Amino acid sequence: MQSGLRLLTRNPIWVFVAIIFIFFSLSTERFFDIANFRNILVQTSTIGLIALGMTLVMINGNIDLSVGATLALPASVTVDVMGWGAFAEWGNWQILPAVLLGLLSGIAIGALNGFIVWKTGVDAFIVTLGAMLGIRGLVFVYTQEQSFFATNFTYSDFAYSAVLGVPTLAIVFLVFTVATHILLSRTVHGSNTYAVGDNREAAVNAGIRVGPHMVINFMIIGFFAALAGITLSTQMGAATPNLGREFELWVITAVVLGGTKLTGGAGSIIGTFGGVLAIGMLRNGMNLIGVPAFYVLLVLGSILIFVLFLDKQLNRQGEEEIRL
Amino acid sequence: ESHTDTITVGITQNNVGVDSYQTTYEQAFIEAAEGMDNVEAVVLDAGGDVARQIAQMQDLIQQQVDVIVIWPTNGQAVVPAVRAASQANIPVVVTNSNIAEEGFDFIASFSGPNNVQQGASSAELMCEALADDGQDPSEATGQIVQISGQPGYTTAIERQEGFEDRLAEACPGVEILETQPGDWNREKSQRVMENFLVKYDQIDGVYSGDDNMGVGALNAAKAADRVGEMALIGATNFAVGYEAMAAGEYYGSIYQSPVDDAQNALKTAIAVVNGEEVPFLNYFETPKITRDNMDEFSKPVF
Amino acid sequence: MSDHGDDTGSVLRLEKIVKTFPGVRALDGVDFELRPGEVHALMGENGAGKSTLMKVLAGMYQPDGGRIFIDGLRCTLPTPIAAKEMGVILIHQELSLAEEMTVAENIFLGELPRSRFGFVDWGVLDKRVGDILKMLNVDFGPRTKVNRLSIAKKQMVEIARALTHDAKVVVFDEPTASLTDAEKVVLFDIIGDLQARGVGIVYISHRMEEIFKISDRISILRDGSYRGTLITAETDEDAVTRAMIGRSLDLSRDAGDVARPGDVKLAVEGLSCGSLYQDVSFKLRAGEVLGFYGLVGAGRTEIAETLFGLRRPSAGTVTLNGEAVQITSPAEAIAHGLSLVPESRKEQGLVLGMNCRDNITLPQIDNLTSGPFVSGPQEVAIYEKYRERLEIKAPSWRAMVKNLSGGNQQKIVIGKWLSMKPDVLIVDEPTRGIDVGSKAEIHNLIRELAAQGLAVIVISSEMPEVLRVSDRIAAMHQGRLVTIFERDAVTEDDLIQAISGIGVHAA
Amino acid sequence: MSKVETETAASAKGHAPDESAPGPDTSRSWVQIISAQGILIAFAVFLLGFGLFSDRFLSFENMESVLRSSSIIGVMALGVTVVVLSGNLDLSVGSMLSFGTVMVVDLHDKIGAAPAMGVMMVAVLALGCINGFLVGILKLNSLIVTLGMLSAIQGLTLIYSGGQNVDIAPSTQSTTWFRVFGRGDIAGLDMPIIIFAVLAILLHCAIAFTAYGRRVYAVGGNPTAAVFSGIRRGRVVFSTYVISAACVGFASIILGSRVMGSQNNVGQGYELLVLAGVILGGTSLLGGSGSIFKTVVGVLILGFIQNGLLLMGYPYYAQWIVTWIVIILAVWLDIAGKRGRLFSPIA
Ligand SMILES: Nc1ncnc2c1ncn2[C@@H]1O[C@H](COP(=O)(O)OP(=O)(O)OP(=O)(O)O)[C@@H](O)[C@H]1O
Ligand SMILES: Nc1ncnc2c1ncn2[C@@H]1O[C@H](COP(=O)(O)OP(=O)(O)OP(=O)(O)O)[C@@H](O)[C@H]1O
Ligand SMILES: [Mg+2]
Ligand SMILES: [Mg+2]
């Protein structure tokens, strides 16, 4: 009981998830429906996958604002490569090298960001703010402002396929959620992720190779952004150069809602998963009950602030606290 | 099959609130739906984000609406979502800007303006404007600049394409000095135009992807005292463009009514549900408008 | 090999180490030698270069000149890892822990035991940490989160790290600054164990009694240069002090300053703050120094913070100059003539990235304006006054405080609050980490201020300090004020008994 | 972000304690020299470089054009600098600009220029107060609060305007004195530039030379120590958001007057450009170090990058890539100088 309570105060987001779940279930009969839950999972998978990587990077004490732009490049690369003449004879196998190249391009961008953060010592916020602009520029250079279209419908069929009634994209998301959870909570790399974010100097002094460690986490988020870009492009059967604009804001929102500290050193995948679900359910629920578009923005913004406030209240030490 | 009870029409729009056209469209659509007693509309807005539009398509499919109207954020990227709707036996009507050809098999109809044609019409206006008195428009010469819509969006791409292709045919003597995006934004295009004005000593004409940007260009030209040297031509006539035209500062534009656009889309959608025959490309008229013929048109409400 | 020289018996030898920072020559050709199984104390004033020398040794700074020999072999130590691999372990002056993580994770930070596929082997970890903690005789387990520990316990975690390695050299940089007496005993036992295993120990401290208790030799630094090595058994405190600061100290209390207390400045009645402390009452007169003595965690800091408007009392009254007051913010406290020299200079006392002058004038900046703008000359005048008075060593008022040594930083904080000309001055651990010379100065200063009519509260965990500066001493135990002793009528034993809760008879 | 603080503190050993008087210090490397005035040197190199490639670049006409188009972002960046100096962020300024501009333009024809400006200012300041209350008084994280406000204010704007563009009627456009702010000039110098310059000087003096400014730096440098020094931190933080909002109000007036109309998303994405300008100038996101003057330089560099590349005929997205590189290089050189070595010492 007590530990359950502690779990809740540490992840107040799940309280919130429960509240909106009940609210929407009562508001519209279309919400509480297996098919709708599948939808929510698929819809959140894009932001969700990136949020997994963002959790690692933020626990590390860094942040990645460039994920929205990063996502667009692998999406374009994948759809483009698939259409290359070299793979014309490969049939559906042409998807394989395309996806691999796409993932690689995302990982490379992550590595570049991480390497700059490591070697220059410039704050990740600044490095990735620049990258957010620059990488979008690269995407425009690469695509020449054009959208790419996947002529192979197998590619988009994948997005709408399901295994045992569960959409494949949802499965991909859930599998990676579990994998990242294990990585973070059970492995040495995970422990070091917390240590580096908690007290970077101490981590350096303790002999953790902080630089390469951070690069790896940036590569992981690059991988996840690429994966998200590719799954998104399977849903579209196409890639557009504007893909993923403002995603970084929603990803960060989800991760912070999930209880990860912006200063690093604390956070969890379970919390992030809750944060992602909360945003997904809010969006979906408001669509279903027909909240006018203008009010959706107002509601989402207010809720974000409210959850932050709630979190603060739950974690207060009460009247004895020093007032700074 | 016939629908005796209410017809539910789901619409997912591109980006309401980004400009008046889309907002007016939305209002007209809702009004038109309310005007029919057996129609119920579920109105969604994708906020310009493809991913969100796809999610909205899924939500509409999930709600099993009778017909979906989509204003694509991107003509190619929504094809699979449209396909999924058609596989769920929900007919889809595309509105305002068309989807890629690959998706034609999955839609019941397209209702909207012909953006390529609009670009072409603007090109013709440009030739006329640059021709000296009595000169044949095809003989016209001059140097012009182009301010395009937001890069990567279908409407912007189609208008630019239509304009450039037709201009090369209709008056090969007119040269496009440079093209820069104004992102459908008046302030942005004002800044772009300011740069053009510094860069080029002589600009004979400006083509803007819509009047909102066109008026931005006009503002800049006025501030530099150079309105006299150039002909300004836009598209999607806005109230501000109409007024500028009346004041003689703006040469011409393309008249496109969001109300027509919305009503056309809704009617097409209802007809599709009722199993009526509709043309596959259901364009509505978008005539040229200049100072000479502007009396024939009522001032746009947006 | 000629490099070997005559150091066959030494585990570590530093030769002519030079390290300059812009504007400061922190180390100017320092020699140092350490034998296996020896405790070698390193002493010197604040800013003498002790920590810098040890950071060079631990691979954190690269020397600009000089040579390092470990086990007679010349080596370079480009990184902390390299130093660790050479068997050199540094226990930092400032705590360096990952607060959100467990004790076990901190102790094995960077070296967590792995099972297959990079997973952490929690079983092995718990066992190894458990063994170490048993040796240290502490009351927390491997899975306790570090941010739940008191400062002293955190210090023990730092120390525990040193025991995970087969170290050749262990450096303790002021390890006892926040330890209780009981914890010190454990620490000295551990040092004894290490010694017995042939490990060389470098021990930095400003506390003479410790140095004389455990060290074999004492090396002395002054202004970055080496001033020789003394054999502990053959020297005395006075000699060491003279080597450090160039003169002897008179540690007796001035006879002339017997306080003639004036009016009651501050009266506290039944003050409580939740579980932190309860029912605290005392009176403080002008011209009087009231010492607060107790163990870490006894609640003294919290009382000070409450008086200063940083905590809301749950009960009780505070009377200032005969007037009941409710102070809800430091700004109000200052307006009432209160000053607080806080416990932690880095977190609470200083804006590290600001220069010395701006730090000192910060609380009164509103009064230093001419027209709408801050008046530079007025500010500099205040800075100069307190620099002279407190003998602050800084290149100029423009120096950022983060580049000053700990002791000089502390003086900046004291100067900042003295310059407010308060009625009531509260100083919390005023000499933590301060060298003997400066310490004596600060003590004299406190006495002097009292003689001028100030009412002073001194919170300290060092018995000699409270005894030296106070007129009366309030002993605290677990959030309760046990007794207030008259200084002249109290013995050390009385105090120890009072603060450890022995014989708490109805007072 | 605060973690980096420990790192920079640890690696700041190369920073000359006395910047204005180098004294006997002989160890200044080229990195330090460049970085001490790095941003100004970069600025000069930029101007010269572009000047070589385009003869129009250094013309008065072009300079004025760049200054004018930088003035809106510039005015906003002044306010954001104050917020950043006190250790927080303000990402809501873009939405707030949309809100202010839509409001002032919409009200202009309805209630007249002066009342419109007054009402808009009050409304925008109220939004600033909400930011200030949430971050300063409730002490919620500023990044998330202003991110939430970004979205909420966008919604408010759309609700206010019903999603319609707003315009000042063409008949009044040429007669209203409201046109002065965006289109007027004094002695040939455009009004937006003058407003930007005046606000920059005022704020620079307020931050660099007054007691208030000192408090802002102290709160940004070490909030806890500031409170212990009797500074009412909540009020200081609150006030920075009010200042930021006021700057947005001024920017809205310039924008509204310049365009004489507004869309609901005019300010979209401005928050990041503004922040880029602040960072480029060298103001630390950790708070406590930087200046208004630096921000002005940073914003102008952004403006000249955009303008120069355009004049040289590069596609618009080239400016994004160049901005990326310039931001990282500028900040890198800055901190490299402070720590005395080019690469981070972290292994
Ligand atoms: N990172 C740095 N940058 C500039 N100067 C420094 C730096 N670190 C130390 N110094 C200077 O080097 C000198 C020696 O400092 P150090 O910390 O070694 O003194 P210390 O003997 O350990 O003093 P304390 O007893 O106060 O801890 C001081 O003058 C200090 O100001
Ligand atoms: N039992 C405890 N568990 C966790 N933290 C503690 C405990 N006791 C004290 N602390 C923390 O240790 C720090 C020092 O203790 P505190 O300030 O309460 O005592 P104090 O009487 O002021 O003693 P001192 O002045 O010697 O530090 C405080 O920050 C407090 O939060
Ligand atoms: Mg030291
Ligand atoms: Mg204390």
Side-chain angles (χ1 to χ4, degrees):
Chain A
M1 180 66 214
Q2 190 128 60
S3 74
L5 207 69
R6 249 220 329 273
L7 206 76
L8 279 187
T9 51
R10 218 182 297 153
N11 286 313
I13 188 64
W14 283 100
V15 182
F16 192 70
V17 167
I19 293 172
I20 41 184
F21 183 80
I22 294 169
F23 173 78
F24 283 124
S25 298
L26 296 178
S27 313
T28 164
E29 76 273 18
R30 295 195 191 102
F31 184 80
F32 194 88
D33 183 331
I34 296 288
N36 191 43
F37 297 156
R38 280 188 212 130
N39 269 353
I40 293 178
L41 274 180
V42 172
Q43 288 163 14
T44 51
S45 68
T46 316
I47 293 222
L49 283 171
I50 309 176
L52 298 177
M54 190 69 89
T55 308
L56 295 184
V57 170
M58 280 173 60
I59 290 176
N60 239 187
N62 293 317
I63 197 164
D64 189 347
L65 296 175
S66 71
V67 285
T70 306
L71 163 157
L73 189 68
S76 296
V77 167
T78 304
V79 177
D80 184 29
V81 169
M82 218 182 312
W84 281 1
F87 303 125
E89 310 286 290
W90 290 36
N92 284 340
W93 286 104
Q94 68 192 186
I95 295 175
L96 189 69
V99 167
L100 286 181
L101 268 178
L103 290 175
L104 216 61
S105 68
I107 294 171
I109 291 176
L112 177 68
N113 277 332
F115 193 74
I116 295 176
V117 170
W118 169 20
K119 280 299 173 189
T120 65
V122 176
D123 195 295
F125 190 95
I126 297 174
V127 171
T128 57
L129 175 68
M132 175 178 121
L133 295 170
I135 292 168
R136 183 70 67 186
L138 289 183
V139 174
F140 273 79
V141 171
Y142 176 71
T143 61
Q144 291 298 307
E145 305 181 31
Q146 297 302 312
S147 301
F148 294 147
F149 192 77
T151 39
N152 186 339
F153 267 113
T154 315
Y155 187 61
S156 48
D157 281 338
F158 176 78
Y160 294 86
S161 64
V163 179
L164 301 173
V166 187
T168 320
L169 291 184
I171 293 177
V172 170
F173 174 41
L174 293 176
V175 165
F176 276 105
T177 304
V178 173
T180 316
H181 176 70
I182 291 173
L183 173 76
L184 191 56
S185 59
R186 298 262 194 283
T187 67
V188 173
H189 180 81
S191 280
N192 287 353
T193 300
Y194 284 102
V196 168
D198 195 326
N199 187 338
R200 193 181 287 186
E201 212 182 345
V204 171
N205 291 339
I208 295 175
R209 302 258 303 154
V210 168
H213 169 89
M214 293 193 310
V215 174
I216 289 173
N217 279 338
F218 271 104
M219 285 165 73
I220 292 176
I221 195 174
F223 167 80
F224 277 123
L227 191 62
I230 292 168
T231 57
L232 196 56
S233 73
T234 63
Q235 294 183 60
M236 313 189 309
T240 74
N242 284 312
L243 201 61
R245 271 191 200 277
E246 294 188 7
F247 272 33
E248 56 279 348
L249 302 185
W250 291 110
V251 169
I252 292 169
T253 301
V255 174
V256 173
L257 283 183
T260 296
K261 271 207 219 156
L262 282 159
T263 47
S268 71
I269 293 294
I270 296 177
T272 295
F273 187 58
V276 168
L277 277 191
I279 292 183
M281 279 172 27
L282 272 172
R283 279 245 159 91
N284 169 278
M286 288 197 280
N287 275 350
L288 292 185
I289 59 177
V291 177
F294 302 169
Y295 289 87
V296 171
L297 290 169
L298 188 62
V299 171
L300 280 176
S302 312
I303 282 179
L304 173 56
I305 296 171
F306 175 73
V307 173
L308 199 65
F309 176 71
L310 197 73
D311 180 52
K312 182 106 179 175
Q313 292 305 310
L314 288 175
N315 286 323
R316 254 165 53 122
Q317 277 143 31
E319 286 297 298
E320 293 174 7
E321 207 176 1
I322 189 161
R323 291 179 298 170
L324 290 173
Chain B
E1 73 192 301
S2 75
H3 282 261
T4 45
D5 44 8
T6 41
I7 301 174
T8 312
V9 184
I11 177 168
T12 157
Q13 294 194 96
N14 178 357
N15 197 356
V16 180
V18 71
D19 61 39
S20 290
Y21 186 91
Q22 302 204 31
T23 313
T24 312
Y25 178 107
E26 184 185 69
Q27 286 163 353
F29 193 92
I30 293 172
E31 249 165 56
E34 277 167 0
M36 307 181 199
D37 6 292
N38 64 337
V39 174
E40 192 186 306
V42 180
V43 182
L44 301 176
D45 169 34
D49 178 1
V50 194
R52 214 182 303 166
Q53 186 157 49
I54 290 169
Q56 290 178 342
M57 286 292 287
Q58 290 162 355
D59 290 346
L60 289 174
I61 297 170
Q62 152 73 9
Q63 290 181 45
Q64 293 182 323
V65 294
D66 297 307
V67 56
I68 295 176
V69 179
I70 179 170
W71 180 333
T73 44
N74 181 292
Q76 298 185 310
V78 297
V79 170
V82 168
R83 181 161 165 256
S86 95
Q87 281 166 355
N89 285 325
I90 299 176
V92 178
V93 172
V94 179
T95 182
N96 190 280
S97 70
N98 211 341
I99 63 171
E101 265 175 50
E102 289 84 350
F104 282 3
D105 290 346
F106 315 119
I107 63 172
S109 173
F110 166 75
S111 150
N114 184 339
N115 280 311
V116 179
Q117 176 55 43
Q118 278 199 26
S121 301
S122 295
E124 287 160 10
L125 281 176
M126 184 63 80
C127 298
E128 283 168 32
L130 296 191
D132 299 330
D133 286 338
Q135 191 186 21
D136 190 85
S138 64
E139 315 268 278
T141 56
Q143 301 183 319
I144 64 165
V145 291
Q146 176 177 218
I147 300 175
S148 54
Q150 183 144 23
Y153 288 95
T154 312
T155 310
I157 295 168
E158 286 183 352
R159 284 191 188 163
Q160 181 172 350
E161 224 174 68
F163 181 81
E164 287 172 1
D165 292 352
R166 182 73 189 125
L167 192 74
E169 287 165 20
C171 46
V174 176
E175 179 202 355
I176 301 179
L177 290 170
E178 192 171 342
T179 302
Q180 289 286 345
D183 296 355
W184 308 126
N185 181 319
R186 201 189 300 173
E187 197 261 337
K188 173 91 190 288
S189 66
Q190 194 164 335
R191 266 188 286 147
V192 169
M193 187 66 192
E194 282 170 356
N195 275 315
F196 285 155
L197 288 167
V198 172
K199 194 168 172 185
Y200 302 109
D201 292 326
Q202 177 67 35
I203 299 174
D204 301 309
V206 182
Y207 168 59
S208 313
D210 74 8
D211 273 6
N212 200 27
M213 298 191 292
V215 169
L218 175 63
N219 282 342
K222 270 201 215 161
D225 255 341
R226 284 172 63 177
V227 190
E229 82 189 40
M230 63 191 71
L232 289 128
I233 288 162
T236 315
N237 193 220
F238 279 56
V240 276
Y242 189 89
E243 283 156 355
M245 219 181 287
E249 294 164 332
Y250 204 68
Y251 184 85
S253 182
I254 308 296
Y255 195 81
Q256 179 184 329
S257 158
V259 180
D260 291 352
D261 199 356
Q263 288 172 349
N264 205 45
L266 184 62
K267 271 186 221 143
T268 311
I270 304 289
V272 166
V273 176
N274 289 335
E276 293 163 24
E277 192 73 19
V278 288
F280 182 69
L281 292 175
N282 197 359
Y283 293 128
F284 67 91
E285 284 295 300
T286 54
K288 299 175 194 166
I289 171 173
T290 62
R291 199 138 79 100
D292 299 334
N293 70 350
M294 63 188 293
D295 304 338
E296 297 164 23
F297 300 92
S298 58
K299 181 176 154 185
V301 293
F302 57 95
Chain C
M1 207 165 121
S2 65
D3 269 354
H4 271 273
D6 58 356
D7 59 10
T8 33
S10 59
V11 61
L12 167 75
R13 195 156 59 84
L14 303 177
E15 260 181 24
K16 301 268 168 293
I17 301 288
V18 175
K19 175 74 189 171
T20 50
F21 296 114
V24 188
R25 202 169 178 84
L27 296 175
D28 192 5
V30 174
D31 294 329
F32 186 79
E33 190 243 358
L34 180 68
R35 298 178 195 140
E38 162 189 59
V39 176
H40 194 148
L42 189 56
M43 295 199 73
E45 287 177 284
N46 294 122
K50 306 179 292 293
S51 299
T52 307
L53 185 67
M54 291 304 117
K55 285 181 181 170
V56 167
L57 177 60
M60 295 168 67
Y61 290 164
Q62 293 312 302
D64 302 323
R67 299 188 293 179
I68 302 172
F69 299 89
I70 292 176
D71 276 344
L73 291 173
R74 168 128 192 228
C75 47
T76 54
L77 303 167
T79 60
I81 310 163
K84 221 182 213 179
E85 277 163 5
M86 292 300 297
V88 176
I89 305 243
L90 169 62
I91 294 162
H92 294 266
Q93 181 171 10
E94 315 288 339
L95 288 172
S96 173
L97 296 170
E99 296 272 329
E100 297 272 348
M101 304 183 79
T102 64
V103 167
E105 284 171 313
N106 266 287
I107 291 176
F108 278 88
L109 202 62
E111 297 154 318
L112 290 170
R114 291 166 194 258
S115 56
R116 267 185 306 166
F117 310 119
F119 284 85
V120 179
D121 194 331
W122 297 107
V124 171
L125 181 65
D126 280 354
K127 187 175 168 329
R128 291 181 61 183
V129 172
D131 290 347
I132 294 171
L133 293 182
K134 210 176 288 162
M135 196 153 87
L136 288 173
N137 199 13
V138 290
D139 63 356
F140 50 87
R143 300 249 172 155
T144 316
K145 262 198 178 185
V146 165
N147 61 9
R148 302 187 167 267
L149 300 178
S150 65
I151 296 178
K153 287 173 184 166
K154 288 177 187 169
Q155 189 80 48
M156 297 306 276
V157 176
E158 284 267 7
I159 291 167
R161 279 180 178 174
L163 305 178
T164 63
H165 274 262
D166 280 330
K168 295 196 186 96
V169 176
V170 178
V171 180
F172 292 91
D173 194 349
E174 297 194 40
T176 53
S178 49
L179 292 192
T180 63
D181 288 335
E183 286 160 332
K184 276 181 211 168
V185 170
V186 176
L187 174 67
F188 295 155
D189 282 352
I190 292 165
I191 291 179
D193 277 358
L194 290 171
Q195 245 180 312
R197 297 213 301 249
V199 176
I201 312 270
V202 184
Y203 190 87
I204 301 178
S205 174
H206 292 294
R207 296 186 177 162
M208 286 290 181
E209 69 281 6
E210 289 170 11
I211 300 286
F212 278 89
K213 190 166 165 197
I214 66 167
S215 76
D216 301 312
R217 290 192 295 167
I218 305 173
S219 281
I220 291 173
L221 291 185
R222 184 153 166 218
D223 287 339
S225 56
Y226 174 64
R227 287 304 168 103
T229 302
L230 304 165
I231 295 177
T232 312
E234 297 168 6
T235 185
D236 59 16
E237 294 196 9
D238 195 47
V240 174
T241 308
R242 260 183 287 119
M244 273 169 63
I245 64 176
R247 63 189 157 90
S248 304
L249 283 174
D250 176 13
L251 290 174
S252 67
R253 258 174 79 148
D254 305 351
D257 68 356
V258 177
R260 243 177 297 111
D263 303 336
V264 174
K265 279 277 168 195
L266 172 72
V268 171
E269 194 54 53
L271 200 67
S272 306
C273 185
S275 62
L276 298 173
Y277 61 86
Q278 299 83 31
D279 197 20
V280 170
S281 307
F282 62 88
K283 286 194 171 62
L284 179 67
R285 293 171 185 279
E288 176 189 46
V289 179
L290 176 61
F292 269 80
Y293 184 58
L295 297 176
V296 173
R300 298 158 300 163
T301 299
E302 286 77 2
I303 295 176
E305 285 167 350
T306 311
L307 293 175
F308 206 55
L310 285 157
R311 291 179 192 270
R312 190 194 300 273
S314 49
T317 57
V318 177
T319 315
L320 259 175
N321 292 319
E323 197 185 319
V325 290
Q326 279 197 324
I327 294 173
T328 58
S329 72
E332 288 169 35
I334 292 169
H336 278 104
L338 244 63
S339 279
L340 170 67
V341 174
E343 185 173 28
S344 157
R345 57 178 171 262
K346 283 218 165 127
E347 276 92 50
Q348 303 164 334
L350 296 165
V351 183
L352 291 170
M354 267 189 171
N355 63 40
C356 299
R357 179 198 71 180
D358 293 1
N359 266 289
I360 285 198
T361 55
L362 194 57
Q364 52 179 321
I365 192 70
D366 275 325
N367 304 328
L368 298 178
T369 51
S370 63
F373 298 129
V374 174
S375 151
Q378 279 186 50
E379 278 193 283
V380 175
I382 290 178
Y383 167 76
E384 285 300 334
K385 180 168 161 199
Y386 288 92
R387 185 188 60 77
E388 269 165 40
R389 182 146 175 210
L390 300 174
E391 295 180 27
I392 296 171
K393 289 197 193 81
S396 95
W397 63 260
R398 293 188 186 83
M400 286 211 231
V401 290
K402 74 170 163 218
N403 291 332
L404 300 190
S405 78
N408 283 304
Q409 290 180 348
Q410 181 74 21
K411 289 181 189 173
I412 297 269
V413 185
I414 294 177
K416 158 167 139 179
W417 289 108
L418 283 188
S419 72
M420 295 301 294
K421 305 212 162 53
D423 285 344
V424 178
L425 174 68
I426 307 172
V427 288
D428 195 353
E429 306 286 4
T431 60
R432 186 175 278 174
I434 283 197
D435 67 54
V436 282
S438 312
K439 201 171 192 166
E441 278 170 45
I442 289 174
H443 291 165
N444 290 340
L445 187 76
I446 291 173
R447 294 301 318 165
E448 222 177 277
L449 291 167
Q452 287 166 15
L454 233 73
V456 186
I457 292 177
V458 176
I459 299 173
S460 176
S461 308
E462 279 184 60
M463 184 159 342
E465 179 162 278
V466 248
L467 285 172
R468 223 171 93 68
V469 299
S470 321
D471 298 311
R472 292 186 298 147
I473 299 167
M476 288 206 55
H477 172 67
Q478 289 187 351
R480 298 209 171 256
L481 200 165
V482 185
T483 335
I484 300 184
F485 296 103
E486 288 297 327
R487 185 242 176 201
D488 296 328
V490 67
T491 65
E492 297 196 3
D493 278 349
D494 294 340
L495 273 177
I496 289 175
Q497 286 197 357
I499 64 159
S500 28
I502 305 170
V504 187
H505 35 70
Chain D
M1 275 166 289
S2 81
K3 287 304 138 192
V4 189
E5 197 165 9
T6 55
E7 182 232 331
T8 40
S11 56
K13 44 191 173 281
H15 200 14
D18 184 348
E19 285 166 87
S20 53
D25 172 16
T26 50
S27 62
R28 283 172 84 90
S29 64
W30 61 273
V31 190
Q32 283 176 297
I33 294 165
I34 290 190
S35 75
Q37 296 307 326
I39 199 70
L40 282 178
I41 294 176
F43 193 35
V45 170
F46 244 90
L47 292 187
L48 287 176
F50 280 131
L52 286 181
F53 283 100
S54 164
D55 48 348
R56 282 171 200 266
F57 184 75
L58 291 173
S59 68
F60 174 76
E61 200 189 2
N62 190 49
M63 292 285 155
E64 190 173 31
S65 161
V66 173
L67 286 174
R68 187 175 49 223
S69 45
S70 304
S71 58
I72 291 170
I73 289 208
V75 167
M76 291 163 73
L78 300 177
V80 171
T81 305
V82 181
V83 173
V84 172
L85 281 178
S86 78
N88 294 300
L89 285 174
D90 190 351
L91 294 181
S92 69
V93 288
S95 303
M96 219 187 274
L97 179 73
S98 305
F99 180 79
T101 313
V102 165
M103 196 160 197
V104 75
V105 168
D106 177 63
L107 292 178
H108 181 277
D109 287 358
K110 294 182 182 159
I111 60 175
M117 281 157 56
V119 172
M120 180 276 284
M121 263 307 189
V122 170
V124 167
L125 288 178
L127 293 176
C129 289
I130 295 178
N131 275 333
F133 177 76
L134 293 169
V135 180
I137 312 298
L138 294 185
K139 307 201 163 51
L140 304 180
N141 179 285
S142 68
L143 174 73
I144 301 300
V145 164
T146 57
L147 209 58
M149 289 293 281
L150 179 149
S151 165
I153 297 174
Q154 217 172 321
L156 273 187
T157 312
L158 289 165
I159 293 167
Y160 174 85
S161 70
Q164 298 287 358
N165 292 3
V166 290
D167 288 295
I168 292 176
S171 46
T172 44
Q173 277 189 23
S174 48
T175 53
T176 173
W177 60 271
F178 181 64
R179 69 197 312 280
V180 164
F181 303 107
R183 302 180 171 189
D185 62 287
I186 294 178
L189 201 58
D190 288 337
M191 203 58 183
I193 303 177
I194 294 174
I195 297 177
F196 179 30
V198 169
L199 283 176
I201 292 170
L202 279 180
L203 266 184
H204 184 78
C205 291
I207 294 303
F209 305 125
T210 68
Y212 172 75
R214 191 69 62 77
R215 282 198 287 270
V216 170
Y217 278 102
V219 167
N222 184 348
T224 307
V227 172
F228 271 83
S229 300
I231 292 172
R232 296 178 194 270
R233 167 188 165 199
R235 288 190 198 174
V236 172
V237 171
F238 185 93
S239 71
T240 62
Y241 280 98
V242 175
I243 291 177
S244 174
C247 286
V248 175
F250 290 122
S252 304
I253 291 173
I254 300 177
L255 181 58
S257 163
R258 205 167 117 73
V259 180
M260 291 284 170
S262 181
Q263 282 149 287
N264 293 292
N265 65 345
V266 268
Q268 204 169 38
Y270 270 44
E271 57 280 344
L272 294 173
L273 290 179
V274 163
L275 205 56
V278 173
I279 292 168
L280 203 51
T283 293
S284 159
L285 284 183
L286 302 171
S289 104
S291 77
I292 297 284
F293 171 72
K294 286 182 169 182
T295 292
V296 172
V297 176
V299 168
L300 291 186
I301 290 182
L302 275 188
F304 277 109
I305 291 175
Q306 191 180 353
N307 169 269
L309 291 173
L310 230 73
L311 286 186
M312 283 158 66
Y314 283 95
Y316 60 95
Y317 41 79
Q319 92 197 22
W320 300 341
I321 299 177
V322 174
T323 308
W324 177 25
I325 297 169
V326 170
I327 285 185
I328 290 175
L329 282 184
V331 181
W332 180 14
L333 279 187
D334 187 38
I335 68 172
K338 282 183 186 150
R339 72 173 165 234
R341 55 200 273 190
L342 196 55
F343 291 106
S344 151
I346 286 185

